[in-house]
mmCIF file of all heavy atoms in Angstrom:
data_model
loop_
_atom_site.group_PDB
_atom_site.id
_atom_site.type_symbol
_atom_site.label_atom_id
_atom_site.label_comp_id
_atom_site.label_asym_id
_atom_site.label_seq_id
_atom_site.Cartn_x
_atom_site.Cartn_y
_atom_site.Cartn_z
ATOM 1 N N PHE A 381 -13.568 -48.984 -85.973
ATOM 2 C CA PHE A 381 -13.410 -49.248 -84.535
ATOM 3 C C PHE A 381 -14.745 -49.457 -83.832
ATOM 4 O O PHE A 381 -14.826 -50.240 -82.881
ATOM 5 C CB PHE A 381 -12.648 -48.091 -83.874
ATOM 6 C CG PHE A 381 -11.294 -47.837 -84.460
ATOM 7 C CD1 PHE A 381 -11.124 -46.964 -85.535
ATOM 8 C CD2 PHE A 381 -10.176 -48.489 -83.965
ATOM 9 C CE1 PHE A 381 -9.871 -46.739 -86.087
ATOM 10 C CE2 PHE A 381 -8.919 -48.273 -84.512
ATOM 11 C CZ PHE A 381 -8.769 -47.404 -85.582
ATOM 12 N N ALA A 382 -15.784 -48.764 -84.276
ATOM 13 C CA ALA A 382 -17.082 -48.805 -83.611
ATOM 14 C C ALA A 382 -17.612 -50.236 -83.541
ATOM 15 O O ALA A 382 -17.506 -50.999 -84.511
ATOM 16 C CB ALA A 382 -18.076 -47.919 -84.361
ATOM 17 N N GLY A 383 -18.142 -50.592 -82.383
ATOM 18 C CA GLY A 383 -18.709 -51.920 -82.185
ATOM 19 C C GLY A 383 -17.707 -52.960 -81.730
ATOM 20 O O GLY A 383 -18.096 -54.099 -81.442
ATOM 21 N N ARG A 384 -16.443 -52.596 -81.641
ATOM 22 C CA ARG A 384 -15.419 -53.526 -81.187
ATOM 23 C C ARG A 384 -15.087 -53.295 -79.715
ATOM 24 O O ARG A 384 -15.567 -52.341 -79.099
ATOM 25 C CB ARG A 384 -14.154 -53.380 -82.043
ATOM 26 C CG ARG A 384 -14.374 -53.750 -83.506
ATOM 27 C CD ARG A 384 -13.107 -53.539 -84.329
ATOM 28 N NE ARG A 384 -13.335 -53.878 -85.721
ATOM 29 C CZ ARG A 384 -13.179 -55.100 -86.234
ATOM 30 N NH1 ARG A 384 -12.765 -56.090 -85.451
ATOM 31 N NH2 ARG A 384 -13.415 -55.333 -87.514
ATOM 32 N N VAL A 385 -14.255 -54.149 -79.182
ATOM 33 C CA VAL A 385 -13.803 -54.042 -77.790
ATOM 34 C C VAL A 385 -12.424 -53.404 -77.799
ATOM 35 O O VAL A 385 -11.479 -53.969 -78.370
ATOM 36 C CB VAL A 385 -13.750 -55.427 -77.128
ATOM 37 C CG1 VAL A 385 -13.233 -55.307 -75.690
ATOM 38 C CG2 VAL A 385 -15.118 -56.084 -77.158
ATOM 39 N N PRO A 386 -12.262 -52.223 -77.175
ATOM 40 C CA PRO A 386 -10.963 -51.549 -77.246
ATOM 41 C C PRO A 386 -9.903 -52.194 -76.347
ATOM 42 O O PRO A 386 -10.195 -52.618 -75.226
ATOM 43 C CB PRO A 386 -11.279 -50.133 -76.767
ATOM 44 C CG PRO A 386 -12.445 -50.312 -75.840
ATOM 45 C CD PRO A 386 -13.259 -51.435 -76.439
ATOM 46 N N VAL A 387 -8.682 -52.259 -76.862
ATOM 47 C CA VAL A 387 -7.519 -52.682 -76.079
ATOM 48 C C VAL A 387 -6.449 -51.622 -76.291
ATOM 49 O O VAL A 387 -6.014 -51.388 -77.423
ATOM 50 C CB VAL A 387 -6.994 -54.058 -76.535
ATOM 51 C CG1 VAL A 387 -5.731 -54.415 -75.748
ATOM 52 C CG2 VAL A 387 -8.049 -55.131 -76.343
ATOM 53 N N PHE A 388 -6.036 -50.988 -75.211
ATOM 54 C CA PHE A 388 -4.974 -49.979 -75.286
ATOM 55 C C PHE A 388 -3.787 -50.450 -74.476
ATOM 56 O O PHE A 388 -3.937 -51.019 -73.392
ATOM 57 C CB PHE A 388 -5.446 -48.626 -74.750
ATOM 58 C CG PHE A 388 -4.330 -47.613 -74.643
ATOM 59 C CD1 PHE A 388 -3.885 -46.941 -75.762
ATOM 60 C CD2 PHE A 388 -3.701 -47.374 -73.427
ATOM 61 C CE1 PHE A 388 -2.831 -46.029 -75.685
ATOM 62 C CE2 PHE A 388 -2.652 -46.470 -73.327
ATOM 63 C CZ PHE A 388 -2.217 -45.792 -74.466
ATOM 64 N N VAL A 389 -2.570 -50.175 -74.988
ATOM 65 C CA VAL A 389 -1.348 -50.481 -74.246
ATOM 66 C C VAL A 389 -0.473 -49.233 -74.212
ATOM 67 O O VAL A 389 -0.179 -48.636 -75.247
ATOM 68 C CB VAL A 389 -0.545 -51.630 -74.886
ATOM 69 C CG1 VAL A 389 0.573 -52.072 -73.927
ATOM 70 C CG2 VAL A 389 -1.438 -52.805 -75.228
ATOM 71 N N GLY A 390 -0.065 -48.833 -73.015
ATOM 72 C CA GLY A 390 0.821 -47.685 -72.837
ATOM 73 C C GLY A 390 1.703 -47.877 -71.626
ATOM 74 O O GLY A 390 1.575 -48.860 -70.889
ATOM 75 N N ASP A 391 2.602 -46.930 -71.400
ATOM 76 C CA ASP A 391 3.581 -47.103 -70.325
ATOM 77 C C ASP A 391 3.733 -45.891 -69.420
ATOM 78 O O ASP A 391 4.387 -45.971 -68.385
ATOM 79 C CB ASP A 391 4.957 -47.390 -70.933
ATOM 80 C CG ASP A 391 5.563 -46.152 -71.573
ATOM 81 O OD1 ASP A 391 4.974 -45.626 -72.526
ATOM 82 O OD2 ASP A 391 6.610 -45.681 -71.094
ATOM 83 N N ASP A 392 3.145 -44.764 -69.786
ATOM 84 C CA ASP A 392 3.502 -43.493 -69.166
ATOM 85 C C ASP A 392 2.275 -42.869 -68.499
ATOM 86 O O ASP A 392 1.130 -43.275 -68.738
ATOM 87 C CB ASP A 392 4.049 -42.558 -70.258
ATOM 88 C CG ASP A 392 4.825 -41.380 -69.705
ATOM 89 O OD1 ASP A 392 4.939 -41.255 -68.463
ATOM 90 O OD2 ASP A 392 5.325 -40.580 -70.507
ATOM 91 N N VAL A 393 2.517 -41.823 -67.697
ATOM 92 C CA VAL A 393 1.402 -41.100 -67.091
ATOM 93 C C VAL A 393 0.506 -40.506 -68.169
ATOM 94 O O VAL A 393 -0.705 -40.369 -67.970
ATOM 95 C CB VAL A 393 1.940 -40.000 -66.139
ATOM 96 C CG1 VAL A 393 2.728 -38.942 -66.907
ATOM 97 C CG2 VAL A 393 0.805 -39.342 -65.365
ATOM 98 N N THR A 394 1.058 -40.179 -69.328
ATOM 99 C CA THR A 394 0.261 -39.636 -70.423
ATOM 100 C C THR A 394 -0.687 -40.674 -71.009
ATOM 101 O O THR A 394 -1.594 -40.334 -71.769
ATOM 102 C CB THR A 394 1.174 -39.100 -71.541
ATOM 103 O OG1 THR A 394 1.986 -40.172 -72.033
ATOM 104 C CG2 THR A 394 2.060 -37.971 -71.038
ATOM 105 N N ASP A 395 -0.472 -41.945 -70.673
ATOM 106 C CA ASP A 395 -1.313 -43.025 -71.187
ATOM 107 C C ASP A 395 -2.434 -43.421 -70.233
ATOM 108 O O ASP A 395 -3.334 -44.178 -70.622
ATOM 109 C CB ASP A 395 -0.456 -44.262 -71.467
ATOM 110 C CG ASP A 395 0.602 -44.008 -72.518
ATOM 111 O OD1 ASP A 395 0.254 -43.442 -73.567
ATOM 112 O OD2 ASP A 395 1.770 -44.374 -72.291
ATOM 113 N N GLU A 396 -2.401 -42.931 -68.998
ATOM 114 C CA GLU A 396 -3.371 -43.381 -68.005
ATOM 115 C C GLU A 396 -4.812 -43.069 -68.415
ATOM 116 O O GLU A 396 -5.728 -43.857 -68.157
ATOM 117 C CB GLU A 396 -3.069 -42.764 -66.637
ATOM 118 C CG GLU A 396 -1.749 -43.210 -66.021
ATOM 119 C CD GLU A 396 -1.741 -44.681 -65.597
ATOM 120 O OE1 GLU A 396 -2.790 -45.360 -65.700
ATOM 121 O OE2 GLU A 396 -0.670 -45.147 -65.168
ATOM 122 N N GLU A 397 -5.039 -41.915 -69.062
ATOM 123 C CA GLU A 397 -6.411 -41.585 -69.439
ATOM 124 C C GLU A 397 -6.927 -42.517 -70.526
ATOM 125 O O GLU A 397 -8.117 -42.845 -70.560
ATOM 126 C CB GLU A 397 -6.508 -40.125 -69.885
ATOM 127 C CG GLU A 397 -5.593 -39.750 -71.033
ATOM 128 C CD GLU A 397 -5.533 -38.242 -71.255
ATOM 129 O OE1 GLU A 397 -4.804 -37.567 -70.499
ATOM 130 O OE2 GLU A 397 -6.207 -37.770 -72.174
ATOM 131 N N ALA A 398 -6.058 -42.975 -71.420
ATOM 132 C CA ALA A 398 -6.479 -43.936 -72.439
ATOM 133 C C ALA A 398 -6.690 -45.317 -71.822
ATOM 134 O O ALA A 398 -7.588 -46.055 -72.244
ATOM 135 C CB ALA A 398 -5.457 -44.004 -73.561
ATOM 136 N N ILE A 399 -5.875 -45.669 -70.847
ATOM 137 C CA ILE A 399 -6.073 -46.924 -70.114
ATOM 138 C C ILE A 399 -7.448 -46.919 -69.453
ATOM 139 O O ILE A 399 -8.211 -47.889 -69.540
ATOM 140 C CB ILE A 399 -4.956 -47.110 -69.067
ATOM 141 C CG1 ILE A 399 -3.633 -47.439 -69.763
ATOM 142 C CG2 ILE A 399 -5.312 -48.206 -68.064
ATOM 143 C CD1 ILE A 399 -2.419 -47.453 -68.840
ATOM 144 N N ALA A 400 -7.801 -45.791 -68.830
ATOM 145 C CA ALA A 400 -9.104 -45.678 -68.181
ATOM 146 C C ALA A 400 -10.238 -45.670 -69.198
ATOM 147 O O ALA A 400 -11.300 -46.272 -68.971
ATOM 148 C CB ALA A 400 -9.147 -44.405 -67.330
ATOM 149 N N ALA A 401 -10.038 -44.992 -70.320
ATOM 150 C CA ALA A 401 -11.082 -44.905 -71.341
ATOM 151 C C ALA A 401 -11.390 -46.273 -71.933
ATOM 152 O O ALA A 401 -12.551 -46.618 -72.166
ATOM 153 C CB ALA A 401 -10.664 -43.930 -72.439
ATOM 154 N N ALA A 402 -10.335 -47.063 -72.204
ATOM 155 C CA ALA A 402 -10.554 -48.407 -72.753
ATOM 156 C C ALA A 402 -11.349 -49.266 -71.779
ATOM 157 O O ALA A 402 -12.285 -49.980 -72.171
ATOM 158 C CB ALA A 402 -9.220 -49.060 -73.086
ATOM 159 N N ALA A 403 -10.986 -49.200 -70.495
ATOM 160 C CA ALA A 403 -11.703 -49.981 -69.491
ATOM 161 C C ALA A 403 -13.152 -49.519 -69.361
ATOM 162 O O ALA A 403 -14.075 -50.339 -69.233
ATOM 163 C CB ALA A 403 -10.988 -49.877 -68.147
ATOM 164 N N ALA A 404 -13.380 -48.205 -69.413
ATOM 165 C CA ALA A 404 -14.737 -47.668 -69.282
ATOM 166 C C ALA A 404 -15.635 -48.093 -70.436
ATOM 167 O O ALA A 404 -16.861 -48.176 -70.279
ATOM 168 C CB ALA A 404 -14.687 -46.146 -69.194
ATOM 169 N N LEU A 405 -15.032 -48.378 -71.589
ATOM 170 C CA LEU A 405 -15.793 -48.817 -72.760
ATOM 171 C C LEU A 405 -15.916 -50.340 -72.825
ATOM 172 O O LEU A 405 -16.300 -50.896 -73.854
ATOM 173 C CB LEU A 405 -15.146 -48.281 -74.041
ATOM 174 C CG LEU A 405 -15.277 -46.765 -74.259
ATOM 175 C CD1 LEU A 405 -14.430 -46.318 -75.442
ATOM 176 C CD2 LEU A 405 -16.742 -46.384 -74.483
ATOM 177 N N GLY A 406 -15.589 -51.005 -71.724
ATOM 178 C CA GLY A 406 -15.735 -52.452 -71.652
ATOM 179 C C GLY A 406 -14.557 -53.234 -72.193
ATOM 180 O O GLY A 406 -14.651 -54.452 -72.397
ATOM 181 N N GLY A 407 -13.416 -52.540 -72.399
ATOM 182 C CA GLY A 407 -12.243 -53.197 -72.944
ATOM 183 C C GLY A 407 -11.142 -53.368 -71.926
ATOM 184 O O GLY A 407 -11.387 -53.503 -70.727
ATOM 185 N N HIS A 408 -9.911 -53.322 -72.421
ATOM 186 C CA HIS A 408 -8.741 -53.547 -71.583
ATOM 187 C C HIS A 408 -7.779 -52.369 -71.718
ATOM 188 O O HIS A 408 -7.352 -52.033 -72.823
ATOM 189 C CB HIS A 408 -8.012 -54.822 -72.002
ATOM 190 C CG HIS A 408 -8.863 -56.051 -71.983
ATOM 191 N ND1 HIS A 408 -9.107 -56.785 -70.847
ATOM 192 C CD2 HIS A 408 -9.554 -56.667 -72.991
ATOM 193 C CE1 HIS A 408 -9.899 -57.806 -71.138
ATOM 194 N NE2 HIS A 408 -10.181 -57.754 -72.431
ATOM 195 N N GLY A 409 -7.445 -51.745 -70.597
ATOM 196 C CA GLY A 409 -6.411 -50.727 -70.560
ATOM 197 C C GLY A 409 -5.184 -51.326 -69.904
ATOM 198 O O GLY A 409 -5.204 -51.625 -68.703
ATOM 199 N N LEU A 410 -4.129 -51.534 -70.673
ATOM 200 C CA LEU A 410 -2.966 -52.271 -70.196
ATOM 201 C C LEU A 410 -1.761 -51.347 -70.044
ATOM 202 O O LEU A 410 -1.539 -50.458 -70.865
ATOM 203 C CB LEU A 410 -2.621 -53.398 -71.170
ATOM 204 C CG LEU A 410 -3.755 -54.381 -71.482
ATOM 205 C CD1 LEU A 410 -3.317 -55.365 -72.548
ATOM 206 C CD2 LEU A 410 -4.207 -55.104 -70.224
ATOM 207 N N HIS A 411 -0.981 -51.611 -68.999
ATOM 208 C CA HIS A 411 0.216 -50.835 -68.705
ATOM 209 C C HIS A 411 1.433 -51.736 -68.831
ATOM 210 O O HIS A 411 1.440 -52.864 -68.306
ATOM 211 C CB HIS A 411 0.119 -50.249 -67.295
ATOM 212 C CG HIS A 411 1.129 -49.205 -66.988
ATOM 213 N ND1 HIS A 411 2.446 -49.502 -66.700
ATOM 214 C CD2 HIS A 411 1.029 -47.851 -66.919
ATOM 215 C CE1 HIS A 411 3.108 -48.382 -66.454
ATOM 216 N NE2 HIS A 411 2.275 -47.362 -66.585
ATOM 217 N N VAL A 412 2.461 -51.250 -69.516
ATOM 218 C CA VAL A 412 3.646 -52.065 -69.786
ATOM 219 C C VAL A 412 4.263 -52.594 -68.500
ATOM 220 O O VAL A 412 4.718 -53.745 -68.441
ATOM 221 C CB VAL A 412 4.686 -51.256 -70.590
ATOM 222 C CG1 VAL A 412 5.981 -52.043 -70.754
ATOM 223 C CG2 VAL A 412 4.121 -50.872 -71.949
ATOM 224 N N HIS A 413 4.261 -51.794 -67.434
ATOM 225 C CA HIS A 413 4.911 -52.208 -66.188
ATOM 226 C C HIS A 413 3.962 -52.969 -65.270
ATOM 227 O O HIS A 413 4.414 -53.832 -64.513
ATOM 228 C CB HIS A 413 5.487 -50.990 -65.466
ATOM 229 C CG HIS A 413 6.568 -50.318 -66.248
ATOM 230 N ND1 HIS A 413 7.876 -50.754 -66.241
ATOM 231 C CD2 HIS A 413 6.533 -49.254 -67.095
ATOM 232 C CE1 HIS A 413 8.611 -49.983 -67.029
ATOM 233 N NE2 HIS A 413 7.815 -49.070 -67.560
ATOM 234 N N ARG A 414 2.684 -52.679 -65.328
ATOM 235 C CA ARG A 414 1.740 -53.364 -64.443
ATOM 236 C C ARG A 414 1.223 -54.672 -65.033
ATOM 237 O O ARG A 414 0.874 -55.592 -64.287
ATOM 238 C CB ARG A 414 0.558 -52.443 -64.129
ATOM 239 C CG ARG A 414 0.929 -51.181 -63.382
ATOM 240 C CD ARG A 414 -0.300 -50.491 -62.804
ATOM 241 N NE ARG A 414 -1.208 -49.986 -63.824
ATOM 242 C CZ ARG A 414 -1.217 -48.734 -64.273
ATOM 243 N NH1 ARG A 414 -0.317 -47.859 -63.816
ATOM 244 N NH2 ARG A 414 -2.087 -48.337 -65.182
ATOM 245 N N ASP A 415 1.150 -54.756 -66.349
ATOM 246 C CA ASP A 415 0.497 -55.900 -66.983
ATOM 247 C C ASP A 415 1.437 -56.777 -67.809
ATOM 248 O O ASP A 415 1.040 -57.860 -68.244
ATOM 249 C CB ASP A 415 -0.650 -55.408 -67.870
ATOM 250 C CG ASP A 415 -1.707 -54.673 -67.072
ATOM 251 O OD1 ASP A 415 -2.363 -55.322 -66.234
ATOM 252 O OD2 ASP A 415 -1.862 -53.450 -67.259
ATOM 253 N N PHE A 416 2.667 -56.301 -68.044
ATOM 254 C CA PHE A 416 3.666 -57.098 -68.738
ATOM 255 C C PHE A 416 4.891 -57.183 -67.834
ATOM 256 O O PHE A 416 4.764 -57.084 -66.626
ATOM 257 C CB PHE A 416 3.984 -56.481 -70.107
ATOM 258 C CG PHE A 416 2.803 -56.504 -71.055
ATOM 259 C CD1 PHE A 416 1.908 -55.440 -71.090
ATOM 260 C CD2 PHE A 416 2.590 -57.597 -71.881
ATOM 261 C CE1 PHE A 416 0.802 -55.467 -71.943
ATOM 262 C CE2 PHE A 416 1.489 -57.624 -72.735
ATOM 263 C CZ PHE A 416 0.597 -56.569 -72.769
ATOM 264 N N ASP A 417 6.055 -57.350 -68.386
ATOM 265 C CA ASP A 417 7.239 -57.426 -67.527
ATOM 266 C C ASP A 417 8.014 -56.112 -67.509
ATOM 267 O O ASP A 417 9.137 -56.056 -67.057
ATOM 268 C CB ASP A 417 8.146 -58.585 -67.969
ATOM 269 C CG ASP A 417 8.897 -58.309 -69.262
ATOM 270 O OD1 ASP A 417 8.564 -57.311 -69.936
ATOM 271 O OD2 ASP A 417 9.818 -59.082 -69.604
#
Side-chain angles (χ1 to χ4, degrees):
F381 302 89
R384 296 178 181 272
V385 178
V387 177
F388 172 79
V389 190
D391 73 298
D392 197 359
V393 64
T394 60
D395 298 312
E396 295 291 356
E397 57 191 79
I399 288 172
L405 290 172
H408 303 277
L410 305 175
H411 193 283
V412 174
H413 296 277
R414 297 194 294 264
D415 299 294
F416 295 90
D417 73 349

